[in-house]
Amino acid sequence: MWGIIRQRAACKGNHALNLEQGIRAIALRAFSSSAKQMTVRDALNSALDEEMSADPKVFIMGEEVGEYQGAYKISKGLLDKYGPDRVVDTPITEAGFAGIGVGAAYYGLRPVIEFMTFNFSMQAIDHIINSAAKSNYMSAGQISVPIVFRGPNGAAAGVGAQHSQCYAAWYGAIPGLKVLAPYSSEDARGLLKAAIRDPDPVVFLENELLYGESFPISDEVLDSSFSLPIGKAKIEREGKDVTITAFSKMVGYALQAADILAKEGINAEVINLRTIRPLDRSTINSSVRKTNRLVTVEEGFPQHGVGAEICATVVEDSFEYLDAPVERIAGADVPMPYAANLERMAVPQVEDIVRAAKRACYRSR
Amino acid sequence: MACSATTRIIHNPLAISSSRSAEKSDFSCKILSPSSFWGSASLGKKLLSVNKAISPISRRSATVVAVSDVVKEKKLKSSSSVSNLLITKEEGLVLYEDMVLGRAFEDMCAQMYYRGKMFGFVHLYNGQEAVSTGFIKLLKKEDCVVSTYRDHVHALSKGVPARQVMSELFGKTTGCCRGQGGSMHMFSKEHNVLGGFAFIGEGIPVATGAAFTSKYKREVLKEDCDEVTLAFFGDGTCNNGQFFECLNMAALWKLPIVFVVENNLWAIGMSHLRATSDPEIWKKGPAFGMPGVHVDGMDVLKVREVAIEAVGRARRGEGPTLVECETYRFRGHSLADPDELRDPAEKAHYATRDPITALKKYILENKLASEAELKAIEKKIDEVVEDSVEFADKSPVPARSQLLENVFADPRGFGIGPDGKYRCEDPKFTEGTAQV
């Protein structure tokens, strides 16, 4: 990734001033004038479009994916392009159509099953776990399940307790599943393409509030053969004082927090996990060995969360390198409240991350 | 809820042979008589006495007749020159052999279990062989079968070798799933047995998905595909939400699937009558727009007739069918089930309707084969089953390194190790360390 940016920058030539700084700092943001912008929604839509045109066995199934153009417009235009046989509107039967997707995957197709939100996946969780994740193992490799379950995950704005849960930790515990959580448009495109091409069941956790956000995107990402490796985290911002790990929307918050911390003299390293399962323990550990302090950020419930797993893995592998206890930022241990001010308190905010990073940095003084 | 007591057939969609094209309907209603539903009227009353709470339902004067009885009457009335035999000699011997294999295999499983060679949950199929044989022997290799935890005989009927099934049950590495699946998870890609599911109702959407794939292959991928899927499940499953969801979608999209209900009247210790508001499962088919058929599941020939039509419907693209087979399991729910709740008289009654004995009688009476030929088949099956036990005994248990294998089709799913490379690239990865 770095090498290619350098090449492109060298070719373009008009970013000489910001070149070194831009490359060392946040990757694409420093030289923005010639980079295109793409929303996460368009990134997902284009990834689906390209994968469907590349392989006729790929089809989309879910509620409102066809005529409604997608509940969040992710599958916009696909019905017109590929027809109702490949963009299938279903009745409201999560267990039924998730199971149908699994059966189709058993028998040779490559379904992309959309859940309107991952909260509804709880109605189909038996199929995601028991008939998709475990099948390759139970059949000793005979039946692989090349299926993708995708949809928005985590809190939106004011949607209440039953529509706001983050499922990264639950699905991240299951052997046989791969769990992805993209942040930017590049992540969204690359990881969704990788997920569709992957021969195993993938749970793809998007975020509703990120759908409309625009990110700069390079030409390489727009190429139809682009994909990102599953299981590799990305260091969004390099630093040396404290490591902040995050995924999905929290990466944006972590980057903002890092900017604030920079003004106070703390140089934070932000890791965008990208993949929850398999967790990129190697990147996390090398980063902690460099900075000696760790703050994990996630939106979901704190107990048995992603941060708990990261903390355990760092304590197991890099204990001697830690100069301060690991700080865990997670959503509040309550069902998501509805009132706007309470909701703001229940979800991590930038100030929380800043405070935690400061605690991690000052504790040993 | 009360069913009409008038004896009226609206349509018989399952007319066979010559009159096949004439009658197509979306609904079927049956004339119902107490003679064959749940055995006999007297038995029905006996069932009542065991389960006192449900008397209002069973006093319904509805009557049910298995389809082929009706058809046979019609045929007798029409022409007498057409042979009345439902099978040829070869077919008869194939059916007989398959049912005897199922029975002998399951009996051997029980023996092995009590000797400690098999363990965990084992659910035996004794008594229900007619359903498996009647349906699965009509399929091609590419057609799919999806079953529940009572899946040994479905796998055997579909063609999975007895050796592989027995090894799987013993937990050996030569089993059809290398010992990783077990009794309840029989998978075979070669024979298109798509499981083996422990959760009831779980297999129904999976089967519907396989049928969806058949249709997709035909319509989108433009392949020449008329593969049919059979979903087998029990009476208890018919109260589960996924069953209804799939009846709806299968009928909506006209998928090539047959939903086969093995109604053995008991879900562990829960009688079907105590658990179901309307115990006549076949009626749930027309509610979703597909034919619902009830058939005597203890008679392989009747099952086969119904199956021919249902599978034919699916192959022709006319959509799904719901077939309720009234059958009975001679043993308990599983080998761990003491089976105390079932009335011994009920069990004795169904033992007289053993499908294997019935087929044997039919073959001998109609002079399709001799006693000696049937005995030879039984002997051959005994040898096959014993050989499978020997094979399984001699087979090795899985190596320690097999623990981490087959979790993913793409083992990079295990992630990146501390040295920065993918874990699976390390040759020592699967050598028995669970330290992922």
Side-chain angles (χ1 to χ4, degrees):
Chain A
M1 182 67 195
W2 293 106
I4 293 166
I5 297 171
R6 269 201 204 95
Q7 275 176 24
R8 293 207 181 274
C11 291
K12 290 199 170 110
N14 53 347
H15 304 291
L17 265 174
N18 278 338
L19 190 59
E20 283 308 305
Q21 228 177 343
I23 291 173
R24 266 195 227 114
I26 308 163
L28 295 161
R29 293 190 181 185
F31 42 106
S32 55
S33 50
S34 62
K36 301 184 195 68
Q37 296 274 332
M38 191 185 227
T39 59
V40 172
R41 179 178 286 120
D42 290 336
L44 293 168
N45 184 286
S46 61
L48 283 170
D49 193 351
E50 287 164 20
E51 291 303 308
M52 283 181 80
S53 81
D55 185 350
K57 298 209 280 289
V58 178
F59 70 95
I60 299 182
M61 185 180 254
E63 292 157 8
E64 310 292 11
V65 291
E67 291 190 10
Y68 198 79
Q69 310 295 324
Y72 296 97
K73 307 294 185 246
I74 305 295
S75 51
K76 187 167 179 188
L78 297 179
L79 175 67
D80 289 330
K81 204 165 167 190
Y82 297 104
D85 285 325
R86 292 187 69 191
V87 181
V88 183
D89 277 327
T90 62
I92 307 178
T93 48
E94 272 78 13
F97 69 74
I100 288 184
V102 173
Y106 274 22
Y107 206 36
L109 298 182
R110 304 189 80 95
V112 176
I113 302 293
E114 174 171 313
F115 291 115
M116 203 179 277
T117 74
F118 260 94
N119 300 279
F120 309 149
S121 75
M122 289 200 287
Q123 302 220 325
I125 202 167
D126 172 44
H127 281 289
I128 300 176
I129 296 179
N130 276 328
S131 49
K134 297 183 184 172
S135 290
N136 200 59
Y137 193 77
M138 288 197 296
S139 69
Q142 292 177 78
I143 312 246
S144 84
V145 192
I147 193 171
V148 177
F149 297 102
R150 50 161 291 270
N153 176 54
V159 291
Q162 293 187 348
H163 283 75
S164 305
Q165 189 166 333
C166 173
Y167 289 86
W170 284 22
Y171 289 124
I174 309 297
L177 271 188
K178 296 178 182 170
V179 181
L180 304 177
Y183 162 63
S184 62
S185 310
E186 177 191 336
D187 290 353
R189 247 182 84 83
L191 292 177
L192 185 55
K193 278 168 167 292
I196 295 177
R197 293 177 199 169
D198 197 281
D200 287 307
V202 179
V203 168
F204 195 81
L205 305 170
E206 304 159 4
N207 188 295
E208 192 207 326
L209 298 174
L210 284 177
Y211 282 154
E213 267 198 48
S214 255
F215 293 87
I217 201 161
S218 70
D219 287 333
E220 185 214 354
V221 177
L222 289 170
D223 183 59
S224 68
S225 63
F226 175 70
S227 83
L228 288 173
I230 294 181
K232 277 207 157 75
K234 178 181 181 197
I235 299 183
E236 293 280 354
R237 179 195 173 110
E238 287 216 355
K240 55 182 177 52
D241 291 330
V242 59
T243 300
I244 305 179
T245 66
F247 61 94
S248 191
K249 191 156 101 269
M250 293 292 127
V251 176
Y253 285 29
L255 290 168
Q256 289 178 45
D259 284 337
I260 296 174
L261 288 166
K263 295 196 192 97
E264 310 204 11
I266 298 177
N267 195 347
E269 177 150 297
V270 175
I271 300 184
N272 172 2
L273 290 175
R274 280 182 169 174
T275 305
I276 306 294
R277 184 174 183 102
L279 209 47
D280 190 353
R281 297 165 205 270
S282 132
T283 302
I284 298 170
N285 275 294
S286 336
S287 173
V288 170
R289 289 174 188 215
K290 185 172 70 166
T291 64
N292 308 120
R293 292 157 210 277
L294 177 61
V295 175
T296 69
V297 185
E298 64 184 302
E299 210 183 6
F301 299 136
Q303 186 162 346
H304 308 304
V306 175
E309 175 65 27
I310 294 178
C311 173
T313 210
V314 164
V315 162
E316 281 167 7
D317 292 337
S318 314
F319 184 65
E320 312 83 48
Y321 293 84
L322 280 172
D323 284 344
V326 174
E327 296 283 338
R328 240 189 331 170
I329 302 285
D333 202 10
V334 299
M336 184 67 66
Y338 169 67
N341 63 327
L342 291 180
E343 188 181 32
R344 221 175 306 121
M345 289 182 349
V347 174
Q349 303 295 332
V350 178
E351 308 83 62
D352 298 317
I353 305 176
V354 169
R355 245 179 304 129
K358 283 187 185 164
R359 270 200 309 267
C361 287
Y362 297 148
R363 193 154 312 190
S364 61
R365 282 193 197 170
Chain B
M1 190 72 78
C3 196
S4 155
T6 61
T7 60
R8 135 192 89 99
I9 308 176
I10 297 181
H11 289 286
N12 183 350
L14 298 183
I16 59 167
S17 64
S18 53
S19 47
R20 191 185 291 270
S21 56
E23 288 149 359
K24 274 188 191 179
S25 76
D26 283 320
F27 309 101
S28 78
C29 192
K30 329 239 85 212
I31 51 169
L32 310 168
S33 75
S35 59
S36 48
F37 195 70
W38 308 330
S40 69
S42 58
L43 179 70
K45 286 187 195 122
K46 267 207 181 138
L47 282 173
L48 288 191
S49 62
V50 171
N51 298 301
K52 298 179 195 101
I54 42 74
S55 33
I57 299 169
S58 45
R59 263 191 220 121
R60 193 185 308 143
S61 61
T63 56
V64 163
V65 151
V67 171
S68 61
D69 279 350
V70 174
V71 171
K72 267 188 193 152
E73 282 167 357
K74 284 174 76 173
K75 280 187 80 175
L76 282 168
K77 284 174 203 155
S78 52
S79 80
S80 50
S81 57
V82 175
S83 160
N84 259 352
L85 289 181
L86 295 162
I87 45 170
T88 63
K89 173 176 177 171
E90 293 78 31
E91 288 169 353
L93 293 180
V94 164
L95 295 180
Y96 188 74
E97 181 171 337
D98 194 52
M99 292 209 288
V100 170
L101 173 62
R103 180 69 59 89
F105 190 90
E106 297 292 73
D107 283 338
M108 184 60 79
C109 283
Q111 267 195 54
M112 291 297 116
Y113 189 83
Y114 293 127
R115 283 192 208 169
K117 300 223 173 131
M118 219 179 273
F119 38 90
F121 286 131
V122 180
H123 306 85
L124 298 182
Y125 202 73
N126 297 48
Q128 298 181 198
E129 296 87 1
V131 180
S132 171
T133 301
F135 269 94
I136 299 182
K137 282 306 174 196
L138 293 172
L139 297 182
K140 307 185 295 199
K141 196 169 186 188
E142 298 78 31
D143 294 324
C144 294
V145 165
V146 179
S147 175
T148 57
Y149 43 74
R150 207 179 294 283
D151 56 351
H152 309 164
V153 179
H154 294 134
L156 290 172
S157 289
K158 192 68 175 50
V160 181
R163 281 183 159 195
Q164 284 185 18
V165 181
M166 191 60 86
S167 293
E168 183 64 29
L169 293 171
F170 279 33
K172 301 292 176 83
T173 196
T174 46
C176 57
C177 297
R178 299 173 81 203
Q180 292 175 205
S183 163
M184 298 187 284
H185 304 293
M186 293 285 167
F187 288 85
S188 167
K189 189 172 168 101
E190 189 195 337
H191 299 278
N192 286 307
V193 175
L194 299 183
F197 290 99
F199 278 53
I200 59 153
E202 190 177 348
I204 306 177
V206 172
T208 313
F212 181 91
T213 306
S214 273
K215 184 163 178 262
Y216 188 96
K217 280 186 186 171
R218 198 171 47 233
E219 294 182 3
V220 177
L221 301 178
K222 309 288 185 214
E223 289 171 18
D224 192 17
C225 177
D226 64 349
E227 287 143 25
V228 163
T229 306
L230 298 185
F232 289 92
F233 47 95
D235 44 287
T237 310
C238 296
N239 296 325
N240 189 278
Q242 293 179 81
F243 170 61
F244 299 109
E245 292 182 13
C246 290
L247 284 185
N248 179 39
M249 287 194 271
L252 182 66
W253 296 329
K254 281 194 142 74
L255 299 180
I257 183 172
V258 182
F259 296 102
V260 183
V261 183
E262 296 168 325
N263 182 356
N264 57 21
L265 301 176
W266 291 89
I268 306 188
M270 188 66 162
S271 150
H272 178 56
L273 305 171
R274 279 181 68 209
T276 315
S277 53
D278 184 351
E280 289 171 56
I281 301 172
W282 61 268
K283 280 159 76 180
K284 299 180 183 178
F288 289 91
M290 68 177 85
V293 184
H294 176 268
V295 69
D296 177 4
M298 301 306 268
D299 183 333
V300 67
L301 299 175
K302 291 181 187 158
V303 171
R304 193 181 147 85
E305 278 185 63
V306 167
I308 289 174
E309 180 59 30
V311 171
R313 245 181 72 86
R315 254 194 239 293
R316 290 189 298 271
E318 290 163 27
T321 315
L322 176 66
V323 180
E324 179 187 353
C325 302
E326 180 216 337
T327 179
Y328 200 76
R329 53 172 164 82
F330 294 154
R331 291 181 179 264
H333 165 73
S334 72
L335 287 173
D337 174 20
D339 196 18
E340 288 158 348
L341 289 174
R342 298 197 299 175
D343 187 9
E346 181 191 78
K347 292 189 222 178
H349 168 83
Y350 277 99
T352 64
R353 297 178 57 202
D354 187 332
I356 296 180
T357 332
L359 180 65
K360 187 169 185 175
K361 188 159 162 262
Y362 184 89
I363 290 179
L364 291 175
E365 275 177 5
N366 291 290
K367 311 246 187 324
L368 284 172
S370 66
E371 178 94 32
E373 282 172 316
L374 296 182
K375 276 258 173 317
I377 290 180
E378 284 163 29
K379 187 157 179 299
K380 174 177 151 207
I381 294 296
D382 278 337
E383 282 167 19
V384 164
V385 172
E386 286 203 22
D387 165 73
S388 72
V389 170
E390 268 185 53
F391 175 77
D393 253 338
K394 290 204 203 99
S395 298
V397 290
R400 285 188 69 187
S401 56
Q402 202 182 306
L403 178 67
L404 296 175
E405 286 175 12
N406 299 129
V407 179
F408 293 109
D410 168 18
R412 284 178 301 168
F414 276 107
I416 299 173
D419 55 0
K421 290 193 295 181
Y422 281 106
R423 282 210 159 80
C424 58
E425 288 165 7
D426 176 2
K428 291 221 183 94
F429 177 60
T430 58
E431 274 175 33
T433 60
Q435 297 164 13
V436 177

